Amino acid sequence: MQEFLSAILLSSGYNTALVCIGAAILGAASGAIGVFILLRKRSLVSDAVSHATLPGVVLAFILGEILWGYGRSLPFILAGAAFSSMLGVMAVDAIKTHTRLTEDTAIGTVLSTFFALGMVLLTIVQSMSIAGQAGLEGFLLGATSGMLFSEAVTIAVASMIVGIAIVLRMKEFTLLCFDENFAASSGYNVKWLDRSLLILLVSVVVIGLKTVGLVLIVALAIIPPVAARFWTERVPVLVGISATIGALGSYIGAAISSTAPSLPTGGIIVLILFFLFLVSLLLSPVRGVLAAYIRHRRFQKIVHTRQGLLTIANGQPILEPLTRKLMIKNSYMCGDGRVTDYGFSVAQKMARDQELWNRFKELDPEAAHSLQDWSLRPIEEVLPYDVVSELETGLKPHTV
Amino acid sequence: MRMGGQKARLVAQQGEPVSAYNPDDNPFHVSGLTVAYHNKPVLWNVSYTAPKGQLTAIIGPNGAGKSTFLKAALGLIPRLSGETQVFGQPVKTALNKIAYVPQRSAVDWDFPATALDVVLMGLYGKVGWFRWPGKSHRQKAKKALQAVGMEAFANRQIGQLSGGQQQRVFLARSLAQDAEVYLMDEPFSGVDAATEKAIVEVLRQLVEADKTVLVVHHDLETVNDYYSNILMLNGQYIASGPVETAFTAQNLQKAYGGRLASTQLEGLKAKSC
Amino acid sequence: MEIFLQYDLPSILLGTFAALACGLLGNFLVLRRQALMGDTISHVVLPGIVVGFLVSHNTSSLPMMLGAGAAAVVSVMLIELIRRLGNIESGAAMGVVFTTMFALGVVLLEQTGAAGVHLDVEHALYGNLESALWLEATSLNDLLDWHKLMLLPDEVKQLFVVTLLILIVIVVFYKEFKLTSFDPLLATTLGFSPKIMSLLLIVMVAVAAVAAFTAVGSILVIAMFICPAATARMLTDKLSTQLFISGVVSLLSGVGGYILAAFGPLWLGYDFSVSAAGMIAVTAGALQVLAMLFAPRYGILTRRWQQKHSALAN
């Protein structure tokens, strides 16, 4: 605990602090880019992107060994990863557009075949018997504990650059996700925008390989935006919240993992992100499950009460259990199903209200359609007085 | 009836009798159906009893909830309230008496299945679990294809058929189901003249066999020619009954509001008289 | 021959059965646009396997199988829940669940020291196809000798049973799978619950994934759920034919991939072999690429060529 506290407060060594900050920046960048990927409904493309890095990583390592006798140069390996994952993305698009196969099949094909190719190459590396090949395993699940200072700096700086690029292009990406056709008609090159979105995704994934690992890096681009989705409907806010969640999860995860080197960093980060997701899912007052349930129950009650009263006014029996229960609870009905006098008078009033609403809808269907409260609340509470009285003059005199 | 006491009192209060309701005779009875998306009702408190052995058009403007009405009545999408009864049974236990023809866009046309395969699927309910369809089922399926003039295309993959031909295959499937109640979601949308004719012919035969048929229909011009009854919706119940009495300019105005041009309305009025 | 029987044959059998079990089921996943369910399931079973291992303290299968099955079912329900409650598209919901479950598995592995005993993440990803041995075999006749056959590694026998089970389930429920995959609405009105059929499919996928997983690794499992079915999809418009072709493709990849892995480098003059599981997946991928390019009706190049010719003819 002591260790963890000192790690989280950035006081357990320069290296650890740098790793944590680097992870946080990375988390923020991937959280932000993930929002746009989610809005374009392409979340699992990031899975193909991450798995497709493996052959590039291994090939770059082999090439480095052959050329300079040193394969572990991080920038070189990351360049290899970026190259092969771009190939992967292009393959997904090619399969999707040129064959009858669907996107999910394309993603699955690319991720498994590329990764398998990486595995084959990896066994070749093992047979080359080079010292230091063990470092490659770290790319699978991420390892921050043995990270060199220069590597930590590379990751932090690269994430920063990607983050800035996302912020600069935010307006265009928002437009792309919101209305592709409109974006095209207002002079944006949609194809290029889409591609730059994927390039940024690839960059984030590649930068995150060392910290989170290629199996789990996709979580960094998926979980934060999904969690953020529960808090807001507005894209800029969504990006902000998603980036915050990503940063928070990665920061805490990296800190924990630096104190317990046997724990894979990627795993810890993902579990913390999931916790943040769970909290959002359940408790967010905006779109959270609990809030939605309460709202739905309230709505259901309103609808059933109104319908029950209208049924009474029509002189028909009420069959539905929930409606009956509500009628009895409000003493519109006795326990044995007889309607009370009070129930009748409220029912008449409700029938009148419904008639007015119907009349309103007849005269102005568009307005009625766009009105959230149409026929859910008494009409005088929703529409201005003069409108209601005008509607009333159109109806036959009210006789009870 | 379980609410006899209440009924008596209601009659006394309102001076008109509650319509006599004998559930066993009603092939398709929906009461108090409300469906909401995101806490906003798209279909509000619809009660309706389909006339037995009649061909009924469900009409209403775009977004009136016509398809939603069919799907929710069948329990294929969640409803907020309401119940459906088929010959007095809850719909859930009486699905075998219903044949539902979905909108054409609802399936994957690239699926590896032939026209005959699709029609055969209509018979799966009779084949039962585990067993494979046999020769007699194939025969039946072929006959259904014949009825819609599609026997020549039995072994064609469904994606390679034209829109009208696909619609006819779906119709053949519902025929093969041999149900009592037929619910069809816009069978006429985007079909050629030959298909339209074929569908009308099949609908006529169904009615002759005393089946109850409800069809979501878009084209107001043909309502008079094709159907004997209508149900008019606009997010809620507007009107229903025989075409002569219910398909009136007044009801249309109610359902379509400003969306129907007045000249169009005049034309329909002239036709209906 | 003796060496082949003792060292190569068990691995080939393992790879081929795994390929077949997954490849056949994959047809329905691909048709239901749930191709990535295979990916998801093979990730989410990890925590189940680890817990099963912790409970039983050995790598033999039953507790691990049960744990994996439970994990798969829980995950599927979780995905459904997130998708519905949160109104989240299914890809993203899958992404949330499978990364979390895999992360849980990874952390459990490291935490419990299980890492030292036969179980580690690399193993889970790559499998260990080559370690299967049948040292008792001496001649081809042994292939017909029941007692000798029973001495094949447990994993081989297990996968054989699972493959057989999957075959039976597909034959018995062929009609139901076809109907619910094509038109779930009709299935509902006919009384064949699409929910039950999809659950059955997922359970079978989980069983196949787990049985294959410990032997061949999750990546081969994912590849086999998708590539053979996708290959067959390019070649035919008939479901029964598609199933048959996918079976053949699985067999070809299993046998061919292993041979390429074990002997390919030798033929090129190197004295090592490469990952068999990886090579089988790569072979399946390569076959799919061939089908996507040259399939008689739907191939990319075939269609280009046809267009050119019809243009010339006009």
PDB file of all heavy atoms in Angstrom, chain A residues 67-88:
ATOM      1  N   LEU A  67      20.608  -6.186 -39.807  1.00  0.00           N
ATOM      2  CA  LEU A  67      21.276  -4.970 -40.270  1.00  0.00           C
ATOM      3  C   LEU A  67      22.325  -4.460 -39.281  1.00  0.00           C
ATOM      4  O   LEU A  67      23.447  -4.159 -39.641  1.00  0.00           O
ATOM      5  CB  LEU A  67      20.245  -3.865 -40.536  1.00  0.00           C
ATOM      6  CG  LEU A  67      19.324  -4.106 -41.741  1.00  0.00           C
ATOM      7  CD1 LEU A  67      18.342  -2.959 -41.898  1.00  0.00           C
ATOM      8  CD2 LEU A  67      20.151  -4.262 -43.024  1.00  0.00           C
ATOM      9  N   TRP A  68      21.924  -4.342 -38.009  1.00  0.00           N
ATOM     10  CA  TRP A  68      22.837  -3.746 -37.027  1.00  0.00           C
ATOM     11  C   TRP A  68      23.216  -4.694 -35.908  1.00  0.00           C
ATOM     12  O   TRP A  68      23.908  -4.297 -34.977  1.00  0.00           O
ATOM     13  CB  TRP A  68      22.190  -2.517 -36.390  1.00  0.00           C
ATOM     14  CG  TRP A  68      21.656  -1.548 -37.390  1.00  0.00           C
ATOM     15  CD1 TRP A  68      22.387  -0.810 -38.272  1.00  0.00           C
ATOM     16  CD2 TRP A  68      20.285  -1.216 -37.619  1.00  0.00           C
ATOM     17  NE1 TRP A  68      21.571  -0.045 -39.037  1.00  0.00           N
ATOM     18  CE2 TRP A  68      20.262  -0.267 -38.667  1.00  0.00           C
ATOM     19  CE3 TRP A  68      19.084  -1.627 -37.061  1.00  0.00           C
ATOM     20  CZ2 TRP A  68      19.077   0.274 -39.153  1.00  0.00           C
ATOM     21  CZ3 TRP A  68      17.913  -1.080 -37.536  1.00  0.00           C
ATOM     22  CH2 TRP A  68      17.917  -0.145 -38.581  1.00  0.00           C
ATOM     23  N   GLY A  69      22.714  -5.890 -35.965  1.00  0.00           N
ATOM     24  CA  GLY A  69      22.997  -6.800 -34.863  1.00  0.00           C
ATOM     25  C   GLY A  69      22.301  -6.387 -33.571  1.00  0.00           C
ATOM     26  O   GLY A  69      22.598  -6.866 -32.494  1.00  0.00           O
ATOM     27  N   TYR A  70      21.322  -5.448 -33.688  1.00  0.00           N
ATOM     28  CA  TYR A  70      20.569  -5.052 -32.498  1.00  0.00           C
ATOM     29  C   TYR A  70      19.115  -4.841 -32.895  1.00  0.00           C
ATOM     30  O   TYR A  70      18.795  -3.912 -33.645  1.00  0.00           O
ATOM     31  CB  TYR A  70      21.148  -3.769 -31.903  1.00  0.00           C
ATOM     32  CG  TYR A  70      20.362  -3.273 -30.710  1.00  0.00           C
ATOM     33  CD1 TYR A  70      20.364  -3.995 -29.521  1.00  0.00           C
ATOM     34  CD2 TYR A  70      19.608  -2.107 -30.787  1.00  0.00           C
ATOM     35  CE1 TYR A  70      19.638  -3.549 -28.435  1.00  0.00           C
ATOM     36  CE2 TYR A  70      18.879  -1.653 -29.707  1.00  0.00           C
ATOM     37  CZ  TYR A  70      18.907  -2.380 -28.528  1.00  0.00           C
ATOM     38  OH  TYR A  70      18.181  -1.949 -27.443  1.00  0.00           O
ATOM     39  N   GLY A  71      18.246  -5.731 -32.445  1.00  0.00           N
ATOM     40  CA  GLY A  71      16.864  -5.683 -32.898  1.00  0.00           C
ATOM     41  C   GLY A  71      15.916  -4.960 -31.972  1.00  0.00           C
ATOM     42  O   GLY A  71      14.775  -4.718 -32.331  1.00  0.00           O
ATOM     43  N   ARG A  72      16.365  -4.603 -30.793  1.00  0.00           N
ATOM     44  CA  ARG A  72      15.406  -4.142 -29.780  1.00  0.00           C
ATOM     45  C   ARG A  72      15.143  -2.645 -29.800  1.00  0.00           C
ATOM     46  O   ARG A  72      14.534  -2.109 -28.880  1.00  0.00           O
ATOM     47  CB  ARG A  72      15.872  -4.577 -28.392  1.00  0.00           C
ATOM     48  CG  ARG A  72      15.780  -6.075 -28.196  1.00  0.00           C
ATOM     49  CD  ARG A  72      16.124  -6.467 -26.798  1.00  0.00           C
ATOM     50  NE  ARG A  72      15.198  -5.873 -25.833  1.00  0.00           N
ATOM     51  CZ  ARG A  72      15.368  -5.931 -24.536  1.00  0.00           C
ATOM     52  NH1 ARG A  72      16.440  -6.522 -24.043  1.00  0.00           N
ATOM     53  NH2 ARG A  72      14.492  -5.393 -23.716  1.00  0.00           N
ATOM     54  N   SER A  73      15.598  -1.983 -30.838  1.00  0.00           N
ATOM     55  CA  SER A  73      15.370  -0.546 -30.908  1.00  0.00           C
ATOM     56  C   SER A  73      13.871  -0.255 -30.974  1.00  0.00           C
ATOM     57  O   SER A  73      13.193  -0.644 -31.928  1.00  0.00           O
ATOM     58  CB  SER A  73      16.075   0.022 -32.141  1.00  0.00           C
ATOM     59  OG  SER A  73      15.365   1.134 -32.624  1.00  0.00           O
ATOM     60  N   LEU A  74      13.367   0.435 -29.943  1.00  0.00           N
ATOM     61  CA  LEU A  74      11.915   0.631 -29.846  1.00  0.00           C
ATOM     62  C   LEU A  74      11.324   1.384 -31.049  1.00  0.00           C
ATOM     63  O   LEU A  74      10.348   0.917 -31.638  1.00  0.00           O
ATOM     64  CB  LEU A  74      11.557   1.329 -28.532  1.00  0.00           C
ATOM     65  CG  LEU A  74      10.050   1.408 -28.258  1.00  0.00           C
ATOM     66  CD1 LEU A  74       9.440   0.034 -28.092  1.00  0.00           C
ATOM     67  CD2 LEU A  74       9.762   2.256 -27.032  1.00  0.00           C
ATOM     68  N   PRO A  75      11.886   2.509 -31.445  1.00  0.00           N
ATOM     69  CA  PRO A  75      11.280   3.223 -32.582  1.00  0.00           C
ATOM     70  C   PRO A  75      11.204   2.350 -33.831  1.00  0.00           C
ATOM     71  O   PRO A  75      10.205   2.373 -34.564  1.00  0.00           O
ATOM     72  CB  PRO A  75      12.226   4.409 -32.808  1.00  0.00           C
ATOM     73  CG  PRO A  75      12.924   4.590 -31.531  1.00  0.00           C
ATOM     74  CD  PRO A  75      13.035   3.238 -30.906  1.00  0.00           C
ATOM     75  N   PHE A  76      12.251   1.579 -34.080  1.00  0.00           N
ATOM     76  CA  PHE A  76      12.270   0.736 -35.262  1.00  0.00           C
ATOM     77  C   PHE A  76      11.169  -0.324 -35.202  1.00  0.00           C
ATOM     78  O   PHE A  76      10.437  -0.555 -36.166  1.00  0.00           O
ATOM     79  CB  PHE A  76      13.649   0.087 -35.412  1.00  0.00           C
ATOM     80  CG  PHE A  76      13.864  -0.531 -36.767  1.00  0.00           C
ATOM     81  CD1 PHE A  76      13.837   0.249 -37.923  1.00  0.00           C
ATOM     82  CD2 PHE A  76      14.093  -1.895 -36.899  1.00  0.00           C
ATOM     83  CE1 PHE A  76      14.028  -0.307 -39.161  1.00  0.00           C
ATOM     84  CE2 PHE A  76      14.276  -2.469 -38.141  1.00  0.00           C
ATOM     85  CZ  PHE A  76      14.258  -1.679 -39.276  1.00  0.00           C
ATOM     86  N   ILE A  77      11.060  -0.970 -34.036  1.00  0.00           N
ATOM     87  CA  ILE A  77      10.015  -1.985 -33.862  1.00  0.00           C
ATOM     88  C   ILE A  77       8.626  -1.372 -34.021  1.00  0.00           C
ATOM     89  O   ILE A  77       7.749  -1.920 -34.686  1.00  0.00           O
ATOM     90  CB  ILE A  77      10.143  -2.666 -32.473  1.00  0.00           C
ATOM     91  CG1 ILE A  77      11.342  -3.613 -32.497  1.00  0.00           C
ATOM     92  CG2 ILE A  77       8.872  -3.419 -32.104  1.00  0.00           C
ATOM     93  CD1 ILE A  77      11.528  -4.382 -31.225  1.00  0.00           C
ATOM     94  N   LEU A  78       8.437  -0.188 -33.444  1.00  0.00           N
ATOM     95  CA  LEU A  78       7.131   0.463 -33.545  1.00  0.00           C
ATOM     96  C   LEU A  78       6.814   0.828 -34.995  1.00  0.00           C
ATOM     97  O   LEU A  78       5.670   0.729 -35.440  1.00  0.00           O
ATOM     98  CB  LEU A  78       7.070   1.709 -32.658  1.00  0.00           C
ATOM     99  CG  LEU A  78       7.166   1.441 -31.151  1.00  0.00           C
ATOM    100  CD1 LEU A  78       6.830   2.705 -30.361  1.00  0.00           C
ATOM    101  CD2 LEU A  78       6.253   0.300 -30.717  1.00  0.00           C
ATOM    102  N   ALA A  79       7.842   1.223 -35.737  1.00  0.00           N
ATOM    103  CA  ALA A  79       7.631   1.523 -37.155  1.00  0.00           C
ATOM    104  C   ALA A  79       7.167   0.269 -37.885  1.00  0.00           C
ATOM    105  O   ALA A  79       6.224   0.307 -38.686  1.00  0.00           O
ATOM    106  CB  ALA A  79       8.903   2.071 -37.773  1.00  0.00           C
ATOM    107  N   GLY A  80       7.812  -0.849 -37.573  1.00  0.00           N
ATOM    108  CA  GLY A  80       7.400  -2.122 -38.175  1.00  0.00           C
ATOM    109  C   GLY A  80       5.958  -2.459 -37.826  1.00  0.00           C
ATOM    110  O   GLY A  80       5.166  -2.852 -38.685  1.00  0.00           O
ATOM    111  N   ALA A  81       5.621  -2.261 -36.537  1.00  0.00           N
ATOM    112  CA  ALA A  81       4.257  -2.549 -36.084  1.00  0.00           C
ATOM    113  C   ALA A  81       3.251  -1.690 -36.836  1.00  0.00           C
ATOM    114  O   ALA A  81       2.215  -2.177 -37.297  1.00  0.00           O
ATOM    115  CB  ALA A  81       4.155  -2.302 -34.583  1.00  0.00           C
ATOM    116  N   ALA A  82       3.578  -0.402 -36.960  1.00  0.00           N
ATOM    117  CA  ALA A  82       2.667   0.514 -37.644  1.00  0.00           C
ATOM    118  C   ALA A  82       2.468   0.079 -39.089  1.00  0.00           C
ATOM    119  O   ALA A  82       1.350   0.069 -39.607  1.00  0.00           O
ATOM    120  CB  ALA A  82       3.214   1.934 -37.599  1.00  0.00           C
ATOM    121  N   PHE A  83       3.575  -0.301 -39.724  1.00  0.00           N
ATOM    122  CA  PHE A  83       3.496  -0.712 -41.116  1.00  0.00           C
ATOM    123  C   PHE A  83       2.560  -1.915 -41.287  1.00  0.00           C
ATOM    124  O   PHE A  83       1.626  -1.890 -42.091  1.00  0.00           O
ATOM    125  CB  PHE A  83       4.899  -1.048 -41.628  1.00  0.00           C
ATOM    126  CG  PHE A  83       4.918  -1.530 -43.044  1.00  0.00           C
ATOM    127  CD1 PHE A  83       4.681  -0.659 -44.093  1.00  0.00           C
ATOM    128  CD2 PHE A  83       5.158  -2.876 -43.325  1.00  0.00           C
ATOM    129  CE1 PHE A  83       4.691  -1.109 -45.400  1.00  0.00           C
ATOM    130  CE2 PHE A  83       5.162  -3.342 -44.630  1.00  0.00           C
ATOM    131  CZ  PHE A  83       4.926  -2.451 -45.670  1.00  0.00           C
ATOM    132  N   SER A  84       2.787  -2.960 -40.487  1.00  0.00           N
ATOM    133  CA  SER A  84       1.967  -4.154 -40.709  1.00  0.00           C
ATOM    134  C   SER A  84       0.526  -3.933 -40.277  1.00  0.00           C
ATOM    135  O   SER A  84      -0.401  -4.504 -40.848  1.00  0.00           O
ATOM    136  CB  SER A  84       2.582  -5.390 -40.052  1.00  0.00           C
ATOM    137  OG  SER A  84       2.390  -5.369 -38.673  1.00  0.00           O
ATOM    138  N   SER A  85       0.290  -3.086 -39.268  1.00  0.00           N
ATOM    139  CA  SER A  85      -1.103  -2.905 -38.885  1.00  0.00           C
ATOM    140  C   SER A  85      -1.841  -2.032 -39.902  1.00  0.00           C
ATOM    141  O   SER A  85      -3.036  -2.201 -40.117  1.00  0.00           O
ATOM    142  CB  SER A  85      -1.236  -2.380 -37.459  1.00  0.00           C
ATOM    143  OG  SER A  85      -1.173  -1.003 -37.417  1.00  0.00           O
ATOM    144  N   MET A  86      -1.120  -1.127 -40.558  1.00  0.00           N
ATOM    145  CA  MET A  86      -1.761  -0.385 -41.653  1.00  0.00           C
ATOM    146  C   MET A  86      -2.161  -1.350 -42.771  1.00  0.00           C
ATOM    147  O   MET A  86      -3.248  -1.248 -43.349  1.00  0.00           O
ATOM    148  CB  MET A  86      -0.823   0.695 -42.223  1.00  0.00           C
ATOM    149  CG  MET A  86      -0.852   2.050 -41.526  1.00  0.00           C
ATOM    150  SD  MET A  86      -2.485   2.642 -41.020  1.00  0.00           S
ATOM    151  CE  MET A  86      -3.208   3.139 -42.573  1.00  0.00           C
ATOM    152  N   LEU A  87      -1.257  -2.283 -43.052  1.00  0.00           N
ATOM    153  CA  LEU A  87      -1.591  -3.309 -44.044  1.00  0.00           C
ATOM    154  C   LEU A  87      -2.865  -4.051 -43.640  1.00  0.00           C
ATOM    155  O   LEU A  87      -3.742  -4.313 -44.456  1.00  0.00           O
ATOM    156  CB  LEU A  87      -0.449  -4.321 -44.159  1.00  0.00           C
ATOM    157  CG  LEU A  87       0.668  -4.029 -45.157  1.00  0.00           C
ATOM    158  CD1 LEU A  87       1.634  -5.217 -45.198  1.00  0.00           C
ATOM    159  CD2 LEU A  87       0.087  -3.773 -46.537  1.00  0.00           C
ATOM    160  N   GLY A  88      -2.937  -4.375 -42.343  1.00  0.00           N
ATOM    161  CA  GLY A  88      -4.103  -5.086 -41.824  1.00  0.00           C
ATOM    162  C   GLY A  88      -5.384  -4.295 -42.038  1.00  0.00           C
ATOM    163  O   GLY A  88      -6.397  -4.825 -42.497  1.00  0.00           O
TER     164      GLY A  88
END
